Amino acid sequence: MLALLAFPLVADPLLGATETSNLWFMGFVVFGGLLVTSGLIALRGAHGVATPVTTEFTSDSPRLKQIAIWVAIAFVPSSSMLSFTTKVSTDLGSIPLIWVVPLATYILSFVFAFAKWKNLSAKGLRIPFLLALAAGVVLLSNIIHQHTAPIIILIYVPVLFVIALYAHRLLYEMRPPAGQLTVFYIALSVGGALGGLFNSIVAPVAFSHEIEAQLTLILAGGLLLLGKSSITPRNIAIGLVTSFPLLLVFGMIGSINPLGTGALRASVAIAMLVSVLILFRHNPVRVAILILVLMLPALAPKKNAIFQDRSFFGNHSVYSTAGFRIYQNGTTLHGWQREEDFGKRPTPLSYYHPNGPMAQVITSDFGRQSESIGIVGLGTGALSCYKLPFQEWAFFEIDAMVDRVARDPSKFTYISECAPESKTYLGDARIVLAQNTFEFDILVLDAYSSDAIPQHLITTEAVRMYTERLAPDGVLVFHISNRYYDLIGPLARIADELGLHAASQNDKLDANIFKTGASSSIVAIISPERARIDSFVQNGKWQAVVSDGAEPWTDDKANLLSALKWLQD
């Protein structure tokens, strides 16, 4: 635990990636030397005279059924931990202080579960376990939107801990005699490894959207069946009869929204479900049936989905609603288009609407005179409809699936109608830009994975490289709308460090997006040429930003600073 927590809290912010790598290399060499020394000492001791130690072990091997149960129980917390890691890192970013949290929670549950505490038992954990199942059902169902309140993400931590603690305590209480412990711990390791295999290899191939967390929660409910419980038609019927009214009530809570914030709706739904589960606490079959039925709607694909698939970078879905064609990645809407615009040159919507900050830059006098424009992050390709006939545009996209969606005219027509000849460079934009010679008048940085902005695209080293790909008076445009991070400060400090000039605009829109098609956005612009930034500031919508004097983000230092900012907010 100490070693794990030392990485994000000490190594990452104080040493940085390069120094940490060098330190790890030296430590690994020392470890190897000590390991060889230990082997030589043991080998030398084998030739000496020693009194043999005899211990009585049972020779019976555990039955295959028992081994399978151990493996299955160990699978549940492992898969739950990885599912939670995926959900959190997708929105908050894959940075150490984020992914360490679920891993530390998982390990901590082992520490507590295998401690010789008489007051800790699986039976005593049943009520907290039911509470965790109820919270998990609400979080993983369609009752609330994941992005309605940041606190909802933090609820996953205690849910994961209690489920893992209950599963690991079950394993502790099922541990065999000493002679079978080797098989027991191998079974635990195999179960944990299968959880990783399922989440990382099997699920992305087998399922078109992320349902690993829901499936694992169903299995977690099934852990209750390991007790003395009879699976009778009566118990199954009562579980089913109770489930459907709850489904109806939860649907009303999620769609009618009479309770205001997502956090309040989640609390009411959890309280209702906990009451029912506690009522059934002595009948695990009814609890398991209830969890299964309530999770089934979340396993189904979107009813109005035109396209739904997943890649290494998360879920992708295209669907229609209220006359709009919408593209969603993870929990974030990445763009939409009016369906009535199919068959003609469409008007850019969402963050890219004609009055928005990004459109202001591209359609300004400078933008209309620009000959070369680069866009990092393709999305639906909405910005392409600002392209003028003489301009050369290039797109940079790390996810090939995004490029296929944007260029398919049956899904969106921005690219096909406005910039069909524009090239998409597939791969990490920072690497592609560094390996090729470009000179852009405008370079737009609009890369997202769900709601997470890749940290390595907004460091001092990255911005320095971007300016090397700009014309002398060119402009960098950073789309930094985010539910969790305030990125104006870091960009201002980077600009100050590199002797650049910056301004920003917070485009707040109160109108419903399905009425106007426009969405609020926060955009920052950076340029080596002060006059270029001043020309935008003078129109009154942009504000010059200056450094607060803090340390700028670098490749080695950015991760912890951004995560701490989110925790502070």
Side-chain angles (χ1 to χ4, degrees):
M1 282 292 294
L2 290 176
L4 177 65
L5 297 177
F7 179 70
L9 297 178
V10 179
D12 190 52
L14 300 182
L15 300 178
T18 304
E19 291 84 355
T20 301
S21 178
N22 293 335
L23 185 63
W24 182 90
F25 175 78
M26 291 186 291
F28 191 73
V29 171
V30 172
F31 172 76
L34 293 174
L35 194 63
V36 171
T37 303
S38 299
L40 293 174
I41 293 174
L43 185 63
R44 185 178 61 181
H47 298 296
V49 179
T51 302
V53 178
T54 58
T55 305
E56 302 225 353
F57 292 108
T58 58
S59 59
D60 294 339
S61 298
R63 294 181 179 181
L64 188 60
K65 178 181 178 181
Q66 183 61 57
I67 295 175
I69 291 175
W70 292 337
V71 170
I73 296 175
F75 174 93
V76 171
S78 173
S79 180
S80 298
M81 181 266 293
L82 292 169
S83 300
F84 171 50
T85 302
T86 298
K87 283 186 169 296
V88 175
S89 61
T90 296
D91 275 349
L92 299 184
S94 184
I95 58 180
L97 198 61
I98 299 301
W99 57 255
V100 155
V101 172
L103 183 55
T105 303
Y106 174 79
I107 293 175
L108 197 63
S109 72
F110 257 122
V111 175
F112 289 153
F114 279 75
K116 295 180 180 180
W117 293 348
K118 295 181 180 179
N119 295 330
L120 182 65
S121 66
K123 182 178 180 180
L125 288 170
R126 185 176 292 262
I127 297 299
F129 183 61
L130 293 176
L131 176 60
L133 289 177
V137 167
V138 173
L139 289 172
L140 297 174
S141 65
N142 299 321
I143 298 171
I144 56 173
H145 299 292
Q146 295 294 311
H147 62 271
T148 51
I151 192 64
I152 289 175
I153 289 181
L154 297 179
I155 300 177
Y156 279 108
V157 177
V159 169
L160 170 64
F161 177 74
V162 174
I163 290 176
L165 182 63
Y166 182 82
H168 289 150
R169 192 64 187 186
L170 275 178
L171 287 169
Y172 176 78
E173 295 178 1
M174 290 181 177
R175 68 195 187 282
Q180 300 176 7
L181 282 179
T182 299
V183 177
F184 174 70
Y185 284 112
I186 289 177
L188 265 61
S189 299
V190 170
L194 288 177
L197 181 69
F198 172 72
N199 283 62
S200 304
I201 306 297
V202 176
V205 175
F207 309 126
S208 63
H209 58 298
E210 290 178 3
I211 58 173
E212 301 91 283
Q214 288 86 345
L215 291 175
T216 305
L217 191 69
I218 293 172
L219 292 178
L223 295 180
L224 294 168
L225 299 178
L226 295 174
K228 297 179 180 179
S229 177
S230 58
I231 303 177
T232 63
R234 181 174 182 272
N235 286 332
I236 294 175
I238 292 177
L240 291 174
V241 169
T242 309
S243 302
F244 290 106
L246 276 176
L247 276 175
L248 179 62
V249 174
F250 285 175
M252 293 175 60
I253 292 176
S255 59
I256 300 177
N257 191 15
L259 299 173
T261 66
L264 180 58
R265 298 206 309 275
S267 301
V268 172
I270 290 172
M272 292 175 55
L273 186 53
V274 166
S275 301
V276 176
L277 293 182
I278 291 179
L279 181 66
F280 289 165
R281 68 185 182 278
H282 298 303
N283 200 310
V285 174
R286 299 177 187 178
V287 174
I289 293 295
L290 192 62
I291 300 297
L292 172 62
V293 174
L294 292 178
M295 282 286 88
L296 287 179
L299 299 179
K302 288 182 179 291
K303 294 181 180 179
N304 52 351
I306 297 170
F307 169 83
Q308 190 160 5
D309 207 342
R310 62 191 295 179
S311 68
F312 177 80
F313 302 96
N315 287 335
H316 301 265
S317 61
V318 178
Y319 57 95
S320 295
T321 184
F324 289 90
R325 182 68 54 81
I326 296 177
Y327 171 44
Q328 181 171 343
N329 174 230
T331 61
T332 303
L333 303 184
H334 277 210
W336 48 88
Q337 178 183 345
R338 285 192 179 91
E339 292 184 324
E340 64 184 27
D341 283 352
F342 277 66
K344 62 181 181 179
R345 188 178 181 92
T347 300
L349 299 178
S350 66
Y351 310 110
Y352 319 106
H353 64 95
N355 295 322
M358 282 184 279
Q360 292 172 25
V361 176
I362 295 176
T363 61
S364 64
D365 292 339
F366 168 72
R368 297 178 66 84
Q369 295 169 6
S370 300
E371 297 181 356
S372 181
I373 296 177
I375 311 291
V376 175
L378 179 58
T380 59
L383 281 176
S384 65
C385 285
Y386 293 115
K387 180 181 180 297
L388 299 177
F390 69 89
Q391 291 178 333
E392 183 177 341
W393 283 45
F395 296 94
F396 301 85
E397 176 57 54
I398 196 171
D399 193 342
M401 188 172 290
V402 174
D403 187 57
R404 292 198 297 271
V405 169
R407 292 185 179 274
D408 185 347
S410 68
K411 298 179 178 68
F412 297 96
T413 62
Y414 290 121
I415 293 288
S416 59
E417 291 286 345
C418 303
E421 304 300 325
S422 296
K423 183 177 179 179
T424 299
Y425 293 87
L426 293 175
D428 188 311
R430 181 168 170 180
I431 296 175
V432 175
L433 286 168
Q435 292 177 344
N436 293 272
T437 302
F438 298 98
E439 185 175 286
F440 296 112
D441 297 301
I442 298 175
L443 179 58
V444 179
L445 284 303
D446 186 29
Y448 281 85
S449 177
S450 188
D451 200 47
I453 299 176
Q455 303 290 323
H456 71 292
L457 295 182
I458 48 175
T459 63
T460 301
E461 293 84 351
V463 175
R464 179 184 292 112
M465 188 269 292
Y466 300 151
T467 59
E468 294 171 356
R469 299 296 180 266
L470 278 182
D473 62 343
V475 174
L476 297 174
V477 182
F478 289 86
H479 180 202
I480 53 175
S481 304
N482 198 270
R483 297 193 295 266
Y484 307 108
Y485 302 119
D486 179 4
L487 299 175
I488 293 294
L491 282 176
R493 295 193 291 271
I494 290 172
D496 183 65
E497 173 78 9
L498 299 177
L500 306 173
H501 309 279
S504 67
Q505 181 180 157
N506 188 348
D507 182 34
K508 292 184 179 180
L509 301 176
D510 298 327
N512 189 309
I513 61 173
F514 293 115
K515 292 182 179 179
T516 64
S519 179
S520 301
S521 63
I522 303 175
V523 176
I525 53 177
I526 296 176
S527 177
E529 183 65 41
R530 169 131 193 196
R532 183 63 60 210
I533 297 298
D534 289 343
S535 66
F536 288 100
V537 172
Q538 289 169 2
N539 72 13
K541 293 184 177 181
W542 296 84
Q543 292 183 336
V545 293
V546 294
S547 171
D548 57 9
E551 182 181 359
W553 281 10
T554 65
D555 285 348
D556 279 355
K557 306 293 184 181
N559 292 335
L560 184 72
L561 296 175
S562 62
L564 289 178
K565 173 62 179 173
W566 174 76
L567 289 172
Q568 177 187 0
D569 290 343

